[in-house]
Amino acid sequence: MTMHTHKPKNTPQFIPLSFIQELLRHSPRQLEYERETAQLIKETLRAYGMEFSVQRFATKIPRERHAELFADGKSISCKSTALVSGVISGKDHLLSSLISSQENLYTSNINSNPRCSTISRSNYYFAPAVAVDTAGLITVLRAQRVTGKVAVDAVRWTSENILVGNRTNPRTTVFAHYDSIESGAIDNASGVAVVMDAVVHNSQTLEDTLYVFSGNEELSYDQPVYWGHGFRAFERVHLSLMRRVRSIIVVDCVGYGRAAFSQDPHLVPLAFPITNVHTWQKKIWILSADVDALMPVYHSAIDDGRMITAAYLRQAHDMLLNA
């Protein structure tokens, strides 16, 4: 754990929408781009005179080397949703990626998000798998012979959780993950911007709140839950702190509609899959907008910020502070 602080000099006003655009310039926020994003967050904290510490942790992240899909010899546009390399033979397993990957985690498949107009990498699998758009899915359905192949490397990586505020005895811990699949404006540059806004403009909250900008939320090689590794890495090191806090707030996917707090027993383990999620569920709150309305852009290149407004970011910010 390392500590950093810096005195600001003529720092301009923090504007969440502008910060989201800065984050998007480092997309998709995996591997090297995740590192650049962490650096941006730390530089922003330094610019506003915010003291922070860094928890580094080891993980593994998939790097796609190659993905191909052919329908009757015709190349179909696709992207890997596999955590392992291999061959796709036939079209027996066509999946909606809005169905939890846990039901088909080890099944080779071709998947598509029926709500999204482009390729959406909603889920990943421990089997050869690719995502296609609706046009690609129709072509596959009509084809007699379908073949595909993916090549994926499991890259050993050091990710970072960036901690701001009370690291000893906070009453509340607030999390926002900064990595992304594809552009990730809503998921979750929006949450990072709202939390950063709370940190730099409301320094009095640092007395009893610990804010955590978390890396490596989207993809890891943990089984069966491959997402949320950065949260679990924090939990392992700060178990006693998390046991003591009165509330845990996860800010994820805001700014595109009115945000609300939820303790939905289905949503909480998806948004915050820590080891003790069920033990502590009564004190875990998810601050998000309507998740169903996110699906048309979820984990796709068109989650590019066009749906986010300053007014909805401010509303989420106010909800967080009022909590």
Side-chain angles (χ1 to χ4, degrees), residues 190-220:
S190 65
V192 173
V194 165
V195 172
M196 184 67 77
D197 195 11
V199 168
V200 302
H201 286 148
N202 305 276
S203 59
Q204 73 279 4
T205 66
L206 302 179
E207 294 181 8
D208 58 11
T209 305
L210 174 60
Y211 296 94
V212 182
F213 297 97
S214 185
N216 194 214
E217 188 274 343
E218 296 284 8
L219 296 172
S220 74

Side-chain angles (χ1 to χ4, degrees), residues 68-175:
E68 64 181 25
L69 185 67
F70 293 93
D72 290 339
K74 179 182 178 181
S75 178
I76 306 298
S77 180
C78 68
K79 293 183 178 181
S80 171
T81 52
L83 294 163
V84 298
S85 300
V87 172
I88 299 168
S89 300
K91 55 178 181 177
D92 290 345
H93 295 100
L94 302 179
L95 301 180
S96 165
S97 58
L98 298 187
I99 298 172
S100 171
S101 64
Q102 300 294 286
E103 298 181 23
N104 300 278
L105 192 59
Y106 303 101
T107 302
S108 178
N109 68 82
I110 300 167
N111 58 83
S112 180
N113 178 346
R115 300 277 303 282
C116 186
S117 62
T118 189
I119 295 175
S120 166
R121 296 201 264 192
S122 302
N123 292 325
Y124 275 67
Y125 307 86
F126 285 93
V130 294
V132 297
D133 60 14
T134 301
L137 177 62
I138 292 171
T139 302
V140 168
L141 283 168
R142 292 173 175 171
Q144 297 297 312
R145 184 171 183 271
V146 176
T147 60
K149 183 187 299 184
V150 291
V152 180
D153 293 327
V155 180
R156 294 186 182 277
W157 191 252
T158 300
S159 188
E160 295 182 349
N161 288 329
I162 303 164
L163 286 57
V164 189
N166 187 333
R167 294 179 294 276
T168 304
N169 58 345
R171 295 178 61 185
T172 302
T173 306
V174 178
F175 291 86

